[in-house]
Amino acid sequence: PMHDVGFGPDATVAAKDLAGLDACDVMLALLSDPDPGTLFEVGHARATGKPVVALIECPRKQDSTMLVGTNCEIVDDLATALYRVVWAAA
């Protein structure tokens, strides 16, 4: 969110970030090196019915339980991830 939302008080950044997620049609989650914020955003997107394409370059089954269990699509290369995001948004 720092590119679109910027920096500031936590409550302000979180509110703007969630508003951005609510306004989108599909989420591309870069999870090769996951951080807590991205994982939270994935959960929010799925809880609000948004499709999620998760780009994980070296996926491990034991790390993907929640993603698979909530119907996120997992891909391991950027070209496929972008294709699947465009397809999901169409």
Side-chain angles (χ1 to χ4, degrees):
M2 70 182 131
H3 302 293
D4 293 324
V5 174
F7 297 98
D10 293 345
T12 302
V13 170
K16 288 181 179 179
D17 183 44
L18 294 178
L21 282 172
D22 290 340
C24 76
D25 295 322
V26 61
M27 177 184 183
L28 171 59
L30 306 178
L31 294 174
S32 290
D33 189 18
D35 67 85
T38 304
L39 295 172
F40 183 93
E41 292 164 341
V42 168
H44 180 81
R46 291 305 302 133
T48 57
K50 308 277 185 197
V52 174
V53 177
L55 173 59
I56 307 173
E57 292 173 324
C58 297
R60 297 181 332 161
K61 182 170 176 29
Q62 65 268 29
D63 296 336
S64 304
T65 301
M66 293 302 291
L67 298 170
V68 173
T70 59
N71 296 318
C72 295
E73 183 173 358
I74 299 173
V75 298
D76 62 3
D77 68 277
L78 181 59
T80 302
L82 295 174
Y83 172 82
R84 298 304 302 156
V85 165
V86 170
W87 187 259

